[in-house]
Amino acid sequence: MVSSVTRTMGIPGGSASGDVLGKGIENSLASNLIPLPTNPLFGTDGIRGRVGELLNAPLALQVGFWAGIVLRNHATQVGPVILGQDSRNSSDMLAMALSAGLTAAGLEVWYLGLCPTPCVAYLTSITGAIGGVMISASHNPPEDNGIKVFGENGGKLPQLLQAEIEAGLRGKISTPGTDSNCGRHYSRFELIDDYSSALKNPLDNHLNLQGMKIVLDLAWGAAVGLAPTVFTQMGAEVICLHNEADGDRINVNCGSTHLDILAATVQEHNADLGFAFDGDADRVLAVDNTGRQVNGDYILYLWGRQLQQKQQLPDNLIVSTVMANLGFEKAWQQQGGKLIRTAVGDQYVQAEMVRTGGMLGGEQSGHILCRHYAVTGDGLLTALHLAALVKDTGVSLGELVDQSFQTYPQLLRNVRVIDRDRRLGWKDCQPVQKAIALAEAAMGDSGRILVRASGTEPVIRVMVEAANAELANHWTNELVSQVQQHLMD
C-alpha cells in the first residue's frame, strides 16, 4: 500500500499572510517572461535540449509554475505532484527549480530523487496525484536534459495541455485568480518501494527467476539502484554493468544504444540473457544467450504470442510504429494477429492503444507498454516479463527468437540538418520526393521507405527496408545523398 499523505496541501492553517505571499509569488512569476525559441518547446517526449542553452534554471522554474497552474486547473481532485530525476549532473538543479515553480503555483511536491521515469508515472496514477514530472533526457548524452510531464492518470500529458503550458510560458495567458497558499516540498523516497512491489507482484505468485543468470547494463542512469535489487529479489543471479549513478557518463558507450559490452559480457559469463536500459529506464533492449541483440519488435512478438495463448490480447492486436520491421508484421499476421502502426513516439502508441483498446504496444527501440501491468512504457517491467517468459517456456531466448521471424534488412541513417525550417519542411523538397518515389517504385512490395524529421534531435532520419541487404543499402545511399545535397546548409 502507498503510505498516507503526511500533510494537506498548502501551509497548515491557511493564514492570510500565506495567501498574500502565494499570490505575490504567482504574480511575479506570471509576469517574468524569459526568452524562448520560436519553435515549439514540447517535442515527442517533453522538453529536451542542451543544458545551459535551452534548458536552464529560469526556464525550469517557469515550466514548473505553468505546469502547476495547468495541472491544477484540469485536476479532478486535490493532490500533489510527483517529481523524479535521473543521474545527470544538471538534474538536481532542474528538479529544484521545477519544484520551486510548482510550489509557487500552490501545489505540494513529492520528491522521489533518483528513479526511473515509469516510477513517476506509476506513483502518479495510484497516489491521488494531479500530475507528475520527470527530469531526464532518456538516451541522450550527459550534456542534455529534459522535462517530461504526466497527467493524473500517469500517461504522457496530452498535447492540448502541453500547449496551455507553453502559452503561459510565452505570456499568452494570464493566471486565474486564486486564494491558494504557497505549496510545500516533501522528500518521499519511500514511495519507490511501492513501485518496486508493483513490478514484482504480478510474477511473485507463480514464477521466479531462480536458476537464471542475467546481465544488466544500467547505463550509469536512473535504474542503478532499483533494477539489480528487483532481479535479485526475484531469484536471479545478477551481473551488473555501469551500475553507479554517474552524471558524467550516463548513456556514454553503454545502455540501450550501445549493446556490444552487454553482448560480450553475456557470452563471457555464459548468461541466459542480458538487458540494457536507457538513462531513465523507460525502455530496454535485450541480448540473447548467444550475444545476439533482441530489439523491441522481437519483444513485442514474443510477449504478444504469450498473451495471445492466454487469451489476454484483445483482437490479437499489437500497436507499433512506422519503424516496425516488415518481417515482424508478416509473421504476426501469420499468427492471426493484427498490427497497427503509428507515428514514432511512445505517446502516439499509447494514444492508439487507448483508442483501440489494445493491451500491448511499443517501439522497435525498446519502449514497450503492456496495459495489463503498467500505464506507460517501462523498461524494468518489460525485462522482468521477458525473463519470466524465457523461464516459463524452458527454451532459451536465442531459440525463441529463431522460432519467431526473420527481419527484413533495415538501414537507418541520420542526416544532420541544423536549419529547422528546412528540416521540418523536407516534404516540400521536390528532388527528395522524386528520389523516394523512384525507390518505392523500384522495390514495390519487397521494400519500404520512411523519411522523417526527428522530434528529439536536429536530424532527418532515412530508413530503408528491403528484401535483401544490397537493395536496402543502395536506396539508403541514394536517399541520404539527396537529403545532403538539397537540405543541408
Side-chain angles (χ1 to χ4, degrees):
M1 294 292 292
V2 176
S3 50
S4 60
V5 179
T6 55
R7 289 181 185 262
T8 58
M9 296 286 291
I11 297 174
S15 67
S17 62
D19 291 344
V20 173
L21 176 62
K23 187 61 179 176
I25 293 173
E26 275 199 0
N27 289 336
S28 175
L29 279 175
S31 61
N32 186 25
L33 298 178
I34 57 177
L36 295 174
T38 57
N39 56 290
L41 292 178
F42 283 89
T44 56
D45 201 16
I47 301 172
R48 190 178 299 185
R50 186 67 54 92
V51 176
E53 296 177 4
L54 172 65
L55 279 177
N56 51 37
L59 175 65
L61 179 68
Q62 288 281 344
V63 171
F65 173 74
W66 284 107
I69 294 296
V70 171
L71 289 171
R72 189 180 66 190
N73 288 347
H74 291 273
T76 59
Q77 58 196 350
V78 176
V81 173
I82 307 294
L83 176 63
Q85 68 175 76
D86 71 12
S87 61
R88 295 167 201 273
N89 295 335
S90 58
S91 291
D92 285 349
M93 171 193 72
L94 295 174
M96 294 305 99
L98 267 154
S99 182
L102 289 163
T103 54
L107 299 180
E108 187 170 285
V109 175
W110 290 1
Y111 176 60
L112 305 178
L114 183 71
C115 68
T117 289
C119 178
V120 172
Y122 171 74
L123 291 173
T124 298
S125 73
I126 67 162
T127 58
I130 66 171
V133 183
M134 178 68 182
I135 310 300
S136 178
S138 299
H139 63 280
N140 281 35
E143 57 269 23
D144 291 348
N145 216 325
I147 301 171
K148 304 180 183 183
V149 186
F150 297 89
E152 62 184 2
N153 65 352
K156 297 285 180 70
L157 197 67
Q159 291 183 345
L160 182 63
L161 300 193
Q162 292 179 7
E164 286 189 30
I165 294 172
E166 186 156 343
L169 292 168
R170 296 185 184 278
K172 295 180 179 179
I173 59 174
S174 58
T175 57
T178 176
D179 295 326
S180 68
N181 300 319
C182 294
R184 302 294 295 270
H185 174 107
Y186 298 99
S187 295
R188 299 299 305 272
F189 308 133
E190 80 281 0
L191 294 178
I192 297 175
D193 291 337
D194 298 301
Y195 169 65
S196 175
S197 296
L199 290 172
K200 295 178 293 182
N201 286 344
L203 298 172
D204 263 344
N205 294 332
H206 68 280
L207 186 68
N208 59 48
L209 304 179
Q210 289 180 1
M212 297 190 75
K213 185 185 294 185
I214 298 174
V215 183
L216 303 178
D217 183 345
L218 290 313
W220 309 113
V224 293
L226 192 57
T229 299
V230 169
F231 273 89
T232 299
Q233 290 173 343
M234 289 296 295
E237 177 185 347
V238 177
I239 300 166
C240 291
L241 301 171
H242 316 117
N243 58 326
E244 297 177 3
D246 191 331
D248 289 320
R249 294 188 285 179
I250 185 171
N251 295 321
V252 177
N253 298 321
C254 62
S256 62
T257 55
H258 297 84
L259 298 181
D260 292 346
I261 296 176
L262 176 64
T265 305
V266 167
Q267 292 178 293
E268 176 188 351
H269 291 273
N270 195 28
D272 292 283
L273 69 167
F275 294 108
F277 303 93
D278 64 342
D280 67 336
D282 65 348
R283 75 182 195 181
V284 66
L285 292 178
V287 167
D288 70 16
N289 50 298
T290 70
R292 178 175 46 181
Q293 298 180 11
V294 179
N295 67 22
D297 286 348
Y298 283 105
I299 295 172
L300 286 171
Y301 180 90
L302 295 174
W303 203 353
R305 284 284 288 153
Q306 184 187 57
L307 292 173
Q308 185 185 49
Q309 290 165 1
K310 294 180 178 180
Q311 297 184 331
Q312 294 179 350
L313 196 65
D315 299 324
N316 293 328
L317 172 64
I318 294 177
V319 178
S320 190
T321 75
V322 291
M323 294 299 295
N325 194 275
L326 271 175
F328 163 39
E329 181 176 21
K330 291 185 176 182
W332 184 240
Q333 290 171 344
Q334 289 173 358
Q335 296 295 329
K338 177 182 178 183
L339 181 71
I340 294 179
R341 296 177 183 268
T342 73
V344 173
D346 61 318
Q347 65 174 313
Y348 302 115
V349 173
Q350 185 174 26
E352 184 66 16
M353 291 173 68
V354 172
R355 188 187 73 82
T356 60
M359 298 303 291
L360 181 66
E363 298 188 277
Q364 192 181 79
S365 60
H367 282 115
I368 308 295
L369 173 60
C370 184
R371 294 176 65 208
H372 290 296
Y373 307 108
V375 296
T376 189
D378 191 326
L380 269 69
L381 185 144
T382 299
L384 281 168
H385 280 263
L386 184 59
L389 185 154
V390 172
K391 176 70 179 295
D392 192 33
T393 61
V395 179
S396 72
L397 181 56
E399 290 177 275
L400 290 173
V401 168
D402 287 339
Q403 296 166 8
S404 58
F405 63 89
Q406 290 291 320
T407 60
Y408 277 42
Q410 187 182 80
L411 294 181
L412 175 64
R413 295 267 297 277
N414 294 328
V415 184
R416 193 169 182 84
V417 178
I418 300 298
D419 188 297
R420 178 180 177 273
D421 291 335
R422 287 188 182 184
R423 187 171 71 249
L424 298 183
W426 71 268
K427 292 181 180 180
D428 297 325
C429 180
Q430 290 305 308
V432 171
Q433 290 293 345
K434 288 180 180 179
I436 292 173
L438 179 62
E440 288 178 335
M443 290 192 295
D445 293 337
S446 64
R448 191 168 64 94
I449 292 169
L450 175 65
V451 179
R452 67 181 183 89
S454 170
T456 58
E457 300 175 78
V459 299
I460 289 179
R461 305 195 195 280
V462 177
M463 188 275 284
V464 177
E465 197 171 66
N468 61 73
E470 183 179 354
L471 202 59
N473 187 62
H474 170 76
W475 289 112
T476 300
N477 290 336
E478 286 292 318
L479 294 174
V480 166
S481 175
Q482 291 296 319
V483 171
Q484 290 173 334
Q485 182 178 345
H486 296 285
L487 293 173
M488 290 178 64
D489 296 335

